[in-house]
Amino acid sequence: MKLSLKLEYACRAMAQLGLVYGQCGLVHVDSLADNERIPPNYLVQILNDLRNAGLVRSRRGKSGGYALARAPEAISLREIIEVVEPDLLEDRVVGDGVCGETVANVWREIAASFCMSVDSYKLADLMPTGRVEMYYI
Amino acid sequence: MKLSLKLEYACRAMAQLGLVYGQCGLVHVDSLADNERIPPNYLVQILNDLRNAGLVRSRRGKSGGYALARAPEAISLREIIEVVEPDLLEDRVVGDGVCGETVANVWREIAASFCMSVDSYKLADLMPTGRVEMYYI
DNA sequence: GACATCTTGGGTTTTTCACTCATAAAGTGA
DNA sequence: TCACTTTATGAGTGAAAAACCCAAGATGTC
């Protein structure tokens, strides 16, 4: 399963936000970037996309930062993929030539089962459960 | 499901070869390329890979060409992927940061289910069943 | 108003994709 | 043996995408 760095970053950042969900404090980009080893400048773009999609909310200025817009159990992995790498969910098969149709049909089935799979995973499944070493700022 | 052109070409070419399996004649590259709308020069490379992997056999010179090495029912979609785009089957997750581990675990599960899925599809499933318009040379 | 933080848009570097082309190797038929 | 046909192989190329970096602006808090 070839997943892009961008998608992995998004999953990790969301999981990290999930860990502090309910503590009603916002997390800074730099904090997220440090904890998950993500280039800060790149993470900003990803968080921006997630915010525009309504998965994350943010505030500017001093004591600004990011937080989940919903509970980790209410956000599916599929929603994250949809924001960051929508092509992974759509089945883009050309379907040209004599066997194009049948080949495309098979891939459509495979894609459908993949979609169902990522839809059943929730953000909570991406979060570590036990005691986690975290550095709050 | 974002599949590369190369993989789709491979599926279509293999399916096309499957259609003439058992007729003990070899198919030319140009014939395959025409029937499946694939750039001939590119198709040569793909067929070469498939041959090195033992999925296809070939002969040069006049009356040369390509044919399946096994029956369409005995070749799984997974084998084709393994040759043309192996990254799709391996789960390349970095797994860095605080949530890297858990995120990687989830993707491993998803990848495993994907592998099983493509393993259950056979080349025969990619071939059109009814009467097909084909131009034999 | 000073400062910290998010926001936005553009730019850059590296890699991958999807080919093309030239040349070599090998088989066929005369 | 020679001409011809077909596959074999490796190098090269143009465009696009991936993975970033940076700067200037907007918006908060103190």
Side-chain angles (χ1 to χ4, degrees), chain A residues 1-2 8 12 35-36 85 88 90 94-96 98-99 102 109 121 126 132, chain B residues 1-2 8 12 35-36 85 88 90 94-96 98-99 102 109 121 126 132:
Chain A
M1 197 90 290
K2 177 178 52 183
E8 187 179 344
R12 298 218 303 256
N35 277 332
E36 296 298 336
E85 217 181 331
L88 208 55
E90 302 163 15
V94 178
D96 223 357
V98 173
C99 299
T102 47
E109 291 179 35
Y121 284 102
L126 299 178
V132 187
Chain B
M1 197 88 292
K2 176 179 49 180
E8 187 178 347
R12 297 218 302 257
N35 277 333
E36 296 299 335
E85 217 179 333
L88 208 55
E90 300 163 15
V94 179
D96 223 356
V98 173
C99 299
T102 46
E109 292 179 35
Y121 284 102
L126 299 179
V132 186

PDB file of all heavy atoms in Angstrom, chain A residues 1-2 8 12 35-36 85 88 90 94-96 98-99 102 109 121 126 132, chain B residues 1-2 8 12 35-36 85 88 90 94-96 98-99 102 109 121 126 132:
ATOM      1  N   MET A   1       0.851  -1.191   0.000  1.00  0.00           N
ATOM      2  CA  MET A   1       0.000   0.000   0.000  1.00  0.00           C
ATOM      3  C   MET A   1       0.878   1.229   0.000  1.00  0.00           C
ATOM      4  O   MET A   1       1.465   1.581   1.009  1.00  0.00           O
ATOM      5  CB  MET A   1      -0.895  -0.013   1.236  1.00  0.00           C
ATOM      6  CG  MET A   1      -2.048   0.916   1.135  1.00  0.00           C
ATOM      7  SD  MET A   1      -3.523   0.190   0.415  1.00  0.00           S
ATOM      8  CE  MET A   1      -3.100  -0.038  -1.300  1.00  0.00           C
ATOM      9  N   LYS A   2       0.980   1.840  -1.135  1.00  0.00           N
ATOM     10  CA  LYS A   2       1.893   2.971  -1.305  1.00  0.00           C
ATOM     11  C   LYS A   2       1.218   4.264  -0.842  1.00  0.00           C
ATOM     12  O   LYS A   2       0.538   4.927  -1.598  1.00  0.00           O
ATOM     13  CB  LYS A   2       2.274   3.055  -2.783  1.00  0.00           C
ATOM     14  CG  LYS A   2       3.154   4.211  -3.163  1.00  0.00           C
ATOM     15  CD  LYS A   2       3.484   4.132  -4.644  1.00  0.00           C
ATOM     16  CE  LYS A   2       2.216   3.995  -5.481  1.00  0.00           C
ATOM     17  NZ  LYS A   2       2.482   3.847  -6.924  1.00  0.00           N
ATOM     18  N   GLU A   8       0.544  10.243   5.376  1.00  0.00           N
ATOM     19  CA  GLU A   8       1.026   9.745   6.666  1.00  0.00           C
ATOM     20  C   GLU A   8       1.159  10.906   7.651  1.00  0.00           C
ATOM     21  O   GLU A   8       0.766  10.776   8.821  1.00  0.00           O
ATOM     22  CB  GLU A   8       2.371   9.039   6.501  1.00  0.00           C
ATOM     23  CG  GLU A   8       2.805   8.358   7.790  1.00  0.00           C
ATOM     24  CD  GLU A   8       4.129   7.611   7.656  1.00  0.00           C
ATOM     25  OE1 GLU A   8       4.577   7.354   6.527  1.00  0.00           O
ATOM     26  OE2 GLU A   8       4.717   7.292   8.712  1.00  0.00           O
ATOM     27  N   ARG A  12      -0.761  11.170  11.271  1.00  0.00           N
ATOM     28  CA  ARG A  12      -0.026  11.325  12.525  1.00  0.00           C
ATOM     29  C   ARG A  12      -0.429  12.608  13.240  1.00  0.00           C
ATOM     30  O   ARG A  12      -0.621  12.623  14.470  1.00  0.00           O
ATOM     31  CB  ARG A  12       1.478  11.304  12.255  1.00  0.00           C
ATOM     32  CG  ARG A  12       1.975  10.002  11.658  1.00  0.00           C
ATOM     33  CD  ARG A  12       3.340   9.595  12.190  1.00  0.00           C
ATOM     34  NE  ARG A  12       4.363  10.599  11.989  1.00  0.00           N
ATOM     35  CZ  ARG A  12       5.307  10.518  11.050  1.00  0.00           C
ATOM     36  NH1 ARG A  12       5.345   9.487  10.227  1.00  0.00           N
ATOM     37  NH2 ARG A  12       6.218  11.458  10.940  1.00  0.00           N
ATOM     38  N   ASN A  35       6.600  16.724  17.795  1.00  0.00           N
ATOM     39  CA  ASN A  35       6.166  15.417  18.292  1.00  0.00           C
ATOM     40  C   ASN A  35       6.077  14.364  17.194  1.00  0.00           C
ATOM     41  O   ASN A  35       6.287  13.181  17.448  1.00  0.00           O
ATOM     42  CB  ASN A  35       4.814  15.537  18.989  1.00  0.00           C
ATOM     43  CG  ASN A  35       4.958  16.002  20.421  1.00  0.00           C
ATOM     44  OD1 ASN A  35       5.974  15.761  21.059  1.00  0.00           O
ATOM     45  ND2 ASN A  35       3.942  16.672  20.928  1.00  0.00           N
ATOM     46  N   GLU A  36       5.750  14.800  15.988  1.00  0.00           N
ATOM     47  CA  GLU A  36       5.559  13.825  14.924  1.00  0.00           C
ATOM     48  C   GLU A  36       6.629  13.874  13.846  1.00  0.00           C
ATOM     49  O   GLU A  36       6.499  13.232  12.805  1.00  0.00           O
ATOM     50  CB  GLU A  36       4.169  13.995  14.305  1.00  0.00           C
ATOM     51  CG  GLU A  36       3.023  13.718  15.268  1.00  0.00           C
ATOM     52  CD  GLU A  36       3.027  12.277  15.785  1.00  0.00           C
ATOM     53  OE1 GLU A  36       3.580  11.411  15.109  1.00  0.00           O
ATOM     54  OE2 GLU A  36       2.481  12.049  16.887  1.00  0.00           O
ATOM     55  N   GLU A  85      -5.599  13.229  -0.058  1.00  0.00           N
ATOM     56  CA  GLU A  85      -5.227  12.495  -1.273  1.00  0.00           C
ATOM     57  C   GLU A  85      -6.444  11.828  -1.879  1.00  0.00           C
ATOM     58  O   GLU A  85      -6.529  10.609  -1.919  1.00  0.00           O
ATOM     59  CB  GLU A  85      -4.171  11.439  -0.908  1.00  0.00           C
ATOM     60  CG  GLU A  85      -3.116  11.272  -1.983  1.00  0.00           C
ATOM     61  CD  GLU A  85      -2.121  10.212  -1.572  1.00  0.00           C
ATOM     62  OE1 GLU A  85      -1.922  10.058  -0.352  1.00  0.00           O
ATOM     63  OE2 GLU A  85      -1.587   9.545  -2.448  1.00  0.00           O
ATOM     64  N   LEU A  88      -6.844   8.598  -4.111  1.00  0.00           N
ATOM     65  CA  LEU A  88      -6.727   7.249  -3.563  1.00  0.00           C
ATOM     66  C   LEU A  88      -8.088   6.579  -3.446  1.00  0.00           C
ATOM     67  O   LEU A  88      -8.197   5.353  -3.426  1.00  0.00           O
ATOM     68  CB  LEU A  88      -6.056   7.333  -2.181  1.00  0.00           C
ATOM     69  CG  LEU A  88      -5.258   6.129  -1.706  1.00  0.00           C
ATOM     70  CD1 LEU A  88      -4.190   5.767  -2.724  1.00  0.00           C
ATOM     71  CD2 LEU A  88      -4.627   6.413  -0.358  1.00  0.00           C
ATOM     72  N   GLU A  90     -10.982   7.575  -5.463  1.00  0.00           N
ATOM     73  CA  GLU A  90     -11.626   7.442  -6.768  1.00  0.00           C
ATOM     74  C   GLU A  90     -10.880   6.397  -7.584  1.00  0.00           C
ATOM     75  O   GLU A  90      -9.676   6.268  -7.470  1.00  0.00           O
ATOM     76  CB  GLU A  90     -11.595   8.779  -7.509  1.00  0.00           C
ATOM     77  CG  GLU A  90     -12.280   9.907  -6.753  1.00  0.00           C
ATOM     78  CD  GLU A  90     -11.872  11.250  -7.303  1.00  0.00           C
ATOM     79  OE1 GLU A  90     -11.311  11.292  -8.399  1.00  0.00           O
ATOM     80  OE2 GLU A  90     -12.113  12.260  -6.624  1.00  0.00           O
ATOM     81  N   VAL A  94      -8.465   3.985 -17.086  1.00  0.00           N
ATOM     82  CA  VAL A  94      -8.756   4.481 -18.425  1.00  0.00           C
ATOM     83  C   VAL A  94      -9.795   3.583 -19.099  1.00  0.00           C
ATOM     84  O   VAL A  94     -10.783   4.061 -19.643  1.00  0.00           O
ATOM     85  CB  VAL A  94      -7.470   4.562 -19.264  1.00  0.00           C
ATOM     86  CG1 VAL A  94      -7.792   5.025 -20.669  1.00  0.00           C
ATOM     87  CG2 VAL A  94      -6.476   5.503 -18.592  1.00  0.00           C
ATOM     88  N   GLY A  95      -9.547   2.281 -19.071  1.00  0.00           N
ATOM     89  CA  GLY A  95     -10.521   1.352 -19.614  1.00  0.00           C
ATOM     90  C   GLY A  95     -10.562   1.305 -21.121  1.00  0.00           C
ATOM     91  O   GLY A  95     -11.565   0.941 -21.719  1.00  0.00           O
ATOM     92  N   ASP A  96      -9.462   1.645 -21.753  1.00  0.00           N
ATOM     93  CA  ASP A  96      -9.377   1.641 -23.208  1.00  0.00           C
ATOM     94  C   ASP A  96      -9.072   0.229 -23.722  1.00  0.00           C
ATOM     95  O   ASP A  96      -8.758  -0.663 -22.950  1.00  0.00           O
ATOM     96  CB  ASP A  96      -8.254   2.603 -23.632  1.00  0.00           C
ATOM     97  CG  ASP A  96      -8.695   3.441 -24.823  1.00  0.00           C
ATOM     98  OD1 ASP A  96      -9.808   3.223 -25.314  1.00  0.00           O
ATOM     99  OD2 ASP A  96      -7.909   4.312 -25.234  1.00  0.00           O
ATOM    100  N   VAL A  98      -9.473  -3.482 -25.974  1.00  0.00           N
ATOM    101  CA  VAL A  98     -10.404  -4.600 -25.988  1.00  0.00           C
ATOM    102  C   VAL A  98     -10.741  -5.068 -24.580  1.00  0.00           C
ATOM    103  O   VAL A  98     -11.888  -5.350 -24.256  1.00  0.00           O
ATOM    104  CB  VAL A  98      -9.813  -5.778 -26.806  1.00  0.00           C
ATOM    105  CG1 VAL A  98     -10.688  -7.016 -26.681  1.00  0.00           C
ATOM    106  CG2 VAL A  98      -9.663  -5.378 -28.270  1.00  0.00           C
ATOM    107  N   CYS A  99      -9.730  -5.140 -23.720  1.00  0.00           N
ATOM    108  CA  CYS A  99      -9.951  -5.664 -22.373  1.00  0.00           C
ATOM    109  C   CYS A  99     -10.109  -4.560 -21.332  1.00  0.00           C
ATOM    110  O   CYS A  99     -10.185  -4.843 -20.126  1.00  0.00           O
ATOM    111  CB  CYS A  99      -8.792  -6.570 -21.974  1.00  0.00           C
ATOM    112  SG  CYS A  99      -8.590  -7.998 -23.058  1.00  0.00           S
ATOM    113  N   THR A 102     -13.353  -4.849 -18.870  1.00  0.00           N
ATOM    114  CA  THR A 102     -13.329  -5.879 -17.831  1.00  0.00           C
ATOM    115  C   THR A 102     -12.269  -5.590 -16.774  1.00  0.00           C
ATOM    116  O   THR A 102     -12.506  -5.796 -15.584  1.00  0.00           O
ATOM    117  CB  THR A 102     -13.061  -7.268 -18.453  1.00  0.00           C
ATOM    118  OG1 THR A 102     -11.966  -7.162 -19.363  1.00  0.00           O
ATOM    119  CG2 THR A 102     -14.283  -7.762 -19.190  1.00  0.00           C
ATOM    120  N   GLU A 109     -14.223  -2.955  -8.278  1.00  0.00           N
ATOM    121  CA  GLU A 109     -14.577  -3.780  -7.112  1.00  0.00           C
ATOM    122  C   GLU A 109     -13.526  -3.658  -6.024  1.00  0.00           C
ATOM    123  O   GLU A 109     -13.848  -3.519  -4.828  1.00  0.00           O
ATOM    124  CB  GLU A 109     -14.714  -5.249  -7.530  1.00  0.00           C
ATOM    125  CG  GLU A 109     -15.923  -5.541  -8.415  1.00  0.00           C
ATOM    126  CD  GLU A 109     -15.981  -7.024  -8.801  1.00  0.00           C
ATOM    127  OE1 GLU A 109     -15.598  -7.856  -7.971  1.00  0.00           O
ATOM    128  OE2 GLU A 109     -16.393  -7.336  -9.944  1.00  0.00           O
ATOM    129  N   TYR A 121     -12.235   2.271   9.732  1.00  0.00           N
ATOM    130  CA  TYR A 121     -11.230   2.715  10.695  1.00  0.00           C
ATOM    131  C   TYR A 121     -11.516   4.145  11.135  1.00  0.00           C
ATOM    132  O   TYR A 121     -11.779   5.018  10.308  1.00  0.00           O
ATOM    133  CB  TYR A 121      -9.819   2.641  10.096  1.00  0.00           C
ATOM    134  CG  TYR A 121      -9.264   1.241  10.011  1.00  0.00           C
ATOM    135  CD1 TYR A 121      -9.258   0.550   8.808  1.00  0.00           C
ATOM    136  CD2 TYR A 121      -8.744   0.614  11.132  1.00  0.00           C
ATOM    137  CE1 TYR A 121      -8.753  -0.745   8.719  1.00  0.00           C
ATOM    138  CE2 TYR A 121      -8.231  -0.673  11.063  1.00  0.00           C
ATOM    139  CZ  TYR A 121      -8.237  -1.345   9.852  1.00  0.00           C
ATOM    140  OH  TYR A 121      -7.740  -2.616   9.769  1.00  0.00           O
ATOM    141  N   LEU A 126      -6.050   5.161  15.307  1.00  0.00           N
ATOM    142  CA  LEU A 126      -4.690   5.597  14.955  1.00  0.00           C
ATOM    143  C   LEU A 126      -3.916   6.101  16.163  1.00  0.00           C
ATOM    144  O   LEU A 126      -2.728   6.368  16.083  1.00  0.00           O
ATOM    145  CB  LEU A 126      -4.757   6.718  13.897  1.00  0.00           C
ATOM    146  CG  LEU A 126      -5.412   6.386  12.554  1.00  0.00           C
ATOM    147  CD1 LEU A 126      -5.435   7.610  11.653  1.00  0.00           C
ATOM    148  CD2 LEU A 126      -4.678   5.241  11.863  1.00  0.00           C
ATOM    149  N   VAL A 132       1.693   7.538  26.970  1.00  0.00           N
ATOM    150  CA  VAL A 132       2.533   8.021  25.881  1.00  0.00           C
ATOM    151  C   VAL A 132       3.440   9.137  26.386  1.00  0.00           C
ATOM    152  O   VAL A 132       3.005  10.001  27.145  1.00  0.00           O
ATOM    153  CB  VAL A 132       1.674   8.562  24.725  1.00  0.00           C
ATOM    154  CG1 VAL A 132       2.553   8.904  23.543  1.00  0.00           C
ATOM    155  CG2 VAL A 132       0.616   7.544  24.324  1.00  0.00           C
TER     156      VAL A 132
ATOM    157  N   MET B   1      -8.698   4.244  -5.826  1.00  0.00           N
ATOM    158  CA  MET B   1      -7.544   3.367  -6.068  1.00  0.00           C
ATOM    159  C   MET B   1      -6.743   3.919  -7.231  1.00  0.00           C
ATOM    160  O   MET B   1      -7.140   3.808  -8.382  1.00  0.00           O
ATOM    161  CB  MET B   1      -8.056   1.950  -6.391  1.00  0.00           C
ATOM    162  CG  MET B   1      -7.013   0.892  -6.255  1.00  0.00           C
ATOM    163  SD  MET B   1      -6.862   0.200  -4.610  1.00  0.00           S
ATOM    164  CE  MET B   1      -6.230   1.508  -3.613  1.00  0.00           C
ATOM    165  N   LYS B   2      -5.636   4.505  -6.897  1.00  0.00           N
ATOM    166  CA  LYS B   2      -4.839   5.183  -7.914  1.00  0.00           C
ATOM    167  C   LYS B   2      -3.883   4.198  -8.563  1.00  0.00           C
ATOM    168  O   LYS B   2      -2.794   3.986  -8.068  1.00  0.00           O
ATOM    169  CB  LYS B   2      -4.081   6.328  -7.226  1.00  0.00           C
ATOM    170  CG  LYS B   2      -3.123   7.085  -8.086  1.00  0.00           C
ATOM    171  CD  LYS B   2      -2.472   8.204  -7.297  1.00  0.00           C
ATOM    172  CE  LYS B   2      -1.917   7.710  -5.957  1.00  0.00           C
ATOM    173  NZ  LYS B   2      -1.279   8.758  -5.164  1.00  0.00           N
ATOM    174  N   GLU B   8      -2.069  -0.727 -15.453  1.00  0.00           N
ATOM    175  CA  GLU B   8      -3.255  -0.979 -16.272  1.00  0.00           C
ATOM    176  C   GLU B   8      -2.854  -1.588 -17.611  1.00  0.00           C
ATOM    177  O   GLU B   8      -3.492  -2.534 -18.082  1.00  0.00           O
ATOM    178  CB  GLU B   8      -4.037   0.318 -16.486  1.00  0.00           C
ATOM    179  CG  GLU B   8      -5.361   0.058 -17.192  1.00  0.00           C
ATOM    180  CD  GLU B   8      -6.199   1.311 -17.398  1.00  0.00           C
ATOM    181  OE1 GLU B   8      -5.896   2.345 -16.788  1.00  0.00           O
ATOM    182  OE2 GLU B   8      -7.149   1.240 -18.198  1.00  0.00           O
ATOM    183  N   ARG B  12      -4.133  -5.204 -19.056  1.00  0.00           N
ATOM    184  CA  ARG B  12      -4.818  -5.320 -20.344  1.00  0.00           C
ATOM    185  C   ARG B  12      -4.052  -6.234 -21.295  1.00  0.00           C
ATOM    186  O   ARG B  12      -4.653  -7.084 -21.987  1.00  0.00           O
ATOM    187  CB  ARG B  12      -5.002  -3.937 -20.970  1.00  0.00           C
ATOM    188  CG  ARG B  12      -5.879  -3.005 -20.142  1.00  0.00           C
ATOM    189  CD  ARG B  12      -6.777  -2.151 -20.997  1.00  0.00           C
ATOM    190  NE  ARG B  12      -6.044  -1.338 -21.954  1.00  0.00           N
ATOM    191  CZ  ARG B  12      -5.815  -0.025 -21.813  1.00  0.00           C
ATOM    192  NH1 ARG B  12      -6.271   0.607 -20.760  1.00  0.00           N
ATOM    193  NH2 ARG B  12      -5.150   0.625 -22.727  1.00  0.00           N
ATOM    194  N   ASN B  35      -4.516  -3.582 -30.258  1.00  0.00           N
ATOM    195  CA  ASN B  35      -5.764  -4.030 -29.641  1.00  0.00           C
ATOM    196  C   ASN B  35      -6.041  -3.348 -28.300  1.00  0.00           C
ATOM    197  O   ASN B  35      -7.184  -3.151 -27.924  1.00  0.00           O
ATOM    198  CB  ASN B  35      -5.740  -5.548 -29.433  1.00  0.00           C
ATOM    199  CG  ASN B  35      -6.136  -6.294 -30.682  1.00  0.00           C
ATOM    200  OD1 ASN B  35      -6.878  -5.783 -31.515  1.00  0.00           O
ATOM    201  ND2 ASN B  35      -5.633  -7.509 -30.835  1.00  0.00           N
ATOM    202  N   GLU B  36      -4.994  -3.021 -27.577  1.00  0.00           N
ATOM    203  CA  GLU B  36      -5.186  -2.445 -26.249  1.00  0.00           C
ATOM    204  C   GLU B  36      -4.802  -0.972 -26.160  1.00  0.00           C
ATOM    205  O   GLU B  36      -4.759  -0.409 -25.062  1.00  0.00           O
ATOM    206  CB  GLU B  36      -4.413  -3.249 -25.203  1.00  0.00           C
ATOM    207  CG  GLU B  36      -4.903  -4.679 -25.047  1.00  0.00           C
ATOM    208  CD  GLU B  36      -6.358  -4.758 -24.606  1.00  0.00           C
ATOM    209  OE1 GLU B  36      -6.832  -3.795 -23.986  1.00  0.00           O
ATOM    210  OE2 GLU B  36      -7.012  -5.781 -24.898  1.00  0.00           O
ATOM    211  N   GLU B  85       4.525  -3.194 -10.302  1.00  0.00           N
ATOM    212  CA  GLU B  85       4.487  -2.108  -9.321  1.00  0.00           C
ATOM    213  C   GLU B  85       4.517  -2.681  -7.899  1.00  0.00           C
ATOM    214  O   GLU B  85       3.535  -2.575  -7.165  1.00  0.00           O
ATOM    215  CB  GLU B  85       3.205  -1.294  -9.514  1.00  0.00           C
ATOM    216  CG  GLU B  85       3.413   0.190  -9.296  1.00  0.00           C
ATOM    217  CD  GLU B  85       2.128   0.939  -9.523  1.00  0.00           C
ATOM    218  OE1 GLU B  85       1.299   0.441 -10.302  1.00  0.00           O
ATOM    219  OE2 GLU B  85       1.948   1.995  -8.896  1.00  0.00           O
ATOM    220  N   LEU B  88       3.132  -1.277  -4.494  1.00  0.00           N
ATOM    221  CA  LEU B  88       1.716  -1.287  -4.169  1.00  0.00           C
ATOM    222  C   LEU B  88       1.385  -2.376  -3.146  1.00  0.00           C
ATOM    223  O   LEU B  88       0.398  -2.285  -2.425  1.00  0.00           O
ATOM    224  CB  LEU B  88       0.913  -1.509  -5.451  1.00  0.00           C
ATOM    225  CG  LEU B  88      -0.501  -0.932  -5.519  1.00  0.00           C
ATOM    226  CD1 LEU B  88      -0.473   0.543  -5.230  1.00  0.00           C
ATOM    227  CD2 LEU B  88      -1.114  -1.206  -6.869  1.00  0.00           C
ATOM    228  N   GLU B  90       3.875  -3.789  -0.871  1.00  0.00           N
ATOM    229  CA  GLU B  90       4.601  -3.569   0.381  1.00  0.00           C
ATOM    230  C   GLU B  90       4.027  -2.349   1.077  1.00  0.00           C
ATOM    231  O   GLU B  90       3.586  -1.408   0.438  1.00  0.00           O
ATOM    232  CB  GLU B  90       6.086  -3.317   0.092  1.00  0.00           C
ATOM    233  CG  GLU B  90       6.753  -4.478  -0.625  1.00  0.00           C
ATOM    234  CD  GLU B  90       8.061  -4.037  -1.257  1.00  0.00           C
ATOM    235  OE1 GLU B  90       8.550  -2.957  -0.903  1.00  0.00           O
ATOM    236  OE2 GLU B  90       8.581  -4.785  -2.107  1.00  0.00           O
ATOM    237  N   VAL B  94       6.625   5.187   7.198  1.00  0.00           N
ATOM    238  CA  VAL B  94       7.810   5.607   7.941  1.00  0.00           C
ATOM    239  C   VAL B  94       7.643   5.257   9.418  1.00  0.00           C
ATOM    240  O   VAL B  94       8.526   4.671  10.042  1.00  0.00           O
ATOM    241  CB  VAL B  94       8.049   7.117   7.767  1.00  0.00           C
ATOM    242  CG1 VAL B  94       9.268   7.536   8.580  1.00  0.00           C
ATOM    243  CG2 VAL B  94       8.242   7.439   6.291  1.00  0.00           C
ATOM    244  N   GLY B  95       6.508   5.620   9.993  1.00  0.00           N
ATOM    245  CA  GLY B  95       6.229   5.260  11.376  1.00  0.00           C
ATOM    246  C   GLY B  95       7.006   6.059  12.396  1.00  0.00           C
ATOM    247  O   GLY B  95       7.230   5.609  13.517  1.00  0.00           O
ATOM    248  N   ASP B  96       7.402   7.253  12.019  1.00  0.00           N
ATOM    249  CA  ASP B  96       8.156   8.129  12.923  1.00  0.00           C
ATOM    250  C   ASP B  96       7.207   8.867  13.875  1.00  0.00           C
ATOM    251  O   ASP B  96       5.998   8.832  13.704  1.00  0.00           O
ATOM    252  CB  ASP B  96       8.939   9.146  12.080  1.00  0.00           C
ATOM    253  CG  ASP B  96      10.349   9.305  12.613  1.00  0.00           C
ATOM    254  OD1 ASP B  96      10.662   8.691  13.638  1.00  0.00           O
ATOM    255  OD2 ASP B  96      11.121  10.048  11.991  1.00  0.00           O
ATOM    256  N   VAL B  98       5.458  10.316  17.598  1.00  0.00           N
ATOM    257  CA  VAL B  98       4.743   9.705  18.715  1.00  0.00           C
ATOM    258  C   VAL B  98       3.672   8.729  18.239  1.00  0.00           C
ATOM    259  O   VAL B  98       3.518   7.640  18.784  1.00  0.00           O
ATOM    260  CB  VAL B  98       4.087  10.805  19.598  1.00  0.00           C
ATOM    261  CG1 VAL B  98       3.194  10.177  20.660  1.00  0.00           C
ATOM    262  CG2 VAL B  98       5.163  11.662  20.248  1.00  0.00           C
ATOM    263  N   CYS B  99       2.937   9.106  17.196  1.00  0.00           N
ATOM    264  CA  CYS B  99       1.838   8.269  16.727  1.00  0.00           C
ATOM    265  C   CYS B  99       2.229   7.409  15.531  1.00  0.00           C
ATOM    266  O   CYS B  99       1.380   6.726  14.953  1.00  0.00           O
ATOM    267  CB  CYS B  99       0.639   9.138  16.361  1.00  0.00           C
ATOM    268  SG  CYS B  99       0.004  10.079  17.749  1.00  0.00           S
ATOM    269  N   THR B 102       1.356   3.442  15.811  1.00  0.00           N
ATOM    270  CA  THR B 102      -0.049   3.037  15.708  1.00  0.00           C
ATOM    271  C   THR B 102      -0.593   3.286  14.307  1.00  0.00           C
ATOM    272  O   THR B 102      -1.352   2.473  13.778  1.00  0.00           O
ATOM    273  CB  THR B 102      -0.905   3.799  16.726  1.00  0.00           C
ATOM    274  OG1 THR B 102      -0.565   5.183  16.697  1.00  0.00           O
ATOM    275  CG2 THR B 102      -0.643   3.268  18.135  1.00  0.00           C
ATOM    276  N   GLU B 109      -2.544  -3.365   8.438  1.00  0.00           N
ATOM    277  CA  GLU B 109      -3.768  -4.173   8.336  1.00  0.00           C
ATOM    278  C   GLU B 109      -4.473  -3.931   7.011  1.00  0.00           C
ATOM    279  O   GLU B 109      -4.920  -4.868   6.341  1.00  0.00           O
ATOM    280  CB  GLU B 109      -4.720  -3.849   9.489  1.00  0.00           C
ATOM    281  CG  GLU B 109      -4.229  -4.298  10.864  1.00  0.00           C
ATOM    282  CD  GLU B 109      -5.222  -3.926  11.967  1.00  0.00           C
ATOM    283  OE1 GLU B 109      -6.432  -3.958  11.691  1.00  0.00           O
ATOM    284  OE2 GLU B 109      -4.782  -3.598  13.086  1.00  0.00           O
ATOM    285  N   TYR B 121      -8.240 -12.435  -7.069  1.00  0.00           N
ATOM    286  CA  TYR B 121      -8.613 -12.216  -8.468  1.00  0.00           C
ATOM    287  C   TYR B 121      -7.601 -12.905  -9.380  1.00  0.00           C
ATOM    288  O   TYR B 121      -6.397 -12.793  -9.167  1.00  0.00           O
ATOM    289  CB  TYR B 121      -8.656 -10.721  -8.793  1.00  0.00           C
ATOM    290  CG  TYR B 121      -9.874 -10.024  -8.257  1.00  0.00           C
ATOM    291  CD1 TYR B 121      -9.802  -9.247  -7.111  1.00  0.00           C
ATOM    292  CD2 TYR B 121     -11.098 -10.136  -8.910  1.00  0.00           C
ATOM    293  CE1 TYR B 121     -10.928  -8.592  -6.613  1.00  0.00           C
ATOM    294  CE2 TYR B 121     -12.222  -9.489  -8.423  1.00  0.00           C
ATOM    295  CZ  TYR B 121     -12.129  -8.727  -7.274  1.00  0.00           C
ATOM    296  OH  TYR B 121     -13.243  -8.091  -6.794  1.00  0.00           O
ATOM    297  N   LEU B 126     -10.102 -10.886 -15.545  1.00  0.00           N
ATOM    298  CA  LEU B 126      -9.844  -9.644 -16.278  1.00  0.00           C
ATOM    299  C   LEU B 126     -10.228  -9.763 -17.749  1.00  0.00           C
ATOM    300  O   LEU B 126     -10.223  -8.770 -18.478  1.00  0.00           O
ATOM    301  CB  LEU B 126      -8.353  -9.279 -16.177  1.00  0.00           C
ATOM    302  CG  LEU B 126      -7.796  -9.032 -14.773  1.00  0.00           C
ATOM    303  CD1 LEU B 126      -6.303  -8.719 -14.847  1.00  0.00           C
ATOM    304  CD2 LEU B 126      -8.534  -7.884 -14.096  1.00  0.00           C
ATOM    305  N   VAL B 132     -15.862 -11.384 -28.549  1.00  0.00           N
ATOM    306  CA  VAL B 132     -15.066 -10.157 -28.545  1.00  0.00           C
ATOM    307  C   VAL B 132     -14.600  -9.842 -29.952  1.00  0.00           C
ATOM    308  O   VAL B 132     -14.201 -10.724 -30.702  1.00  0.00           O
ATOM    309  CB  VAL B 132     -13.822 -10.315 -27.638  1.00  0.00           C
ATOM    310  CG1 VAL B 132     -13.103  -8.997 -27.528  1.00  0.00           C
ATOM    311  CG2 VAL B 132     -14.230 -10.832 -26.273  1.00  0.00           C
TER     312      VAL B 132
END
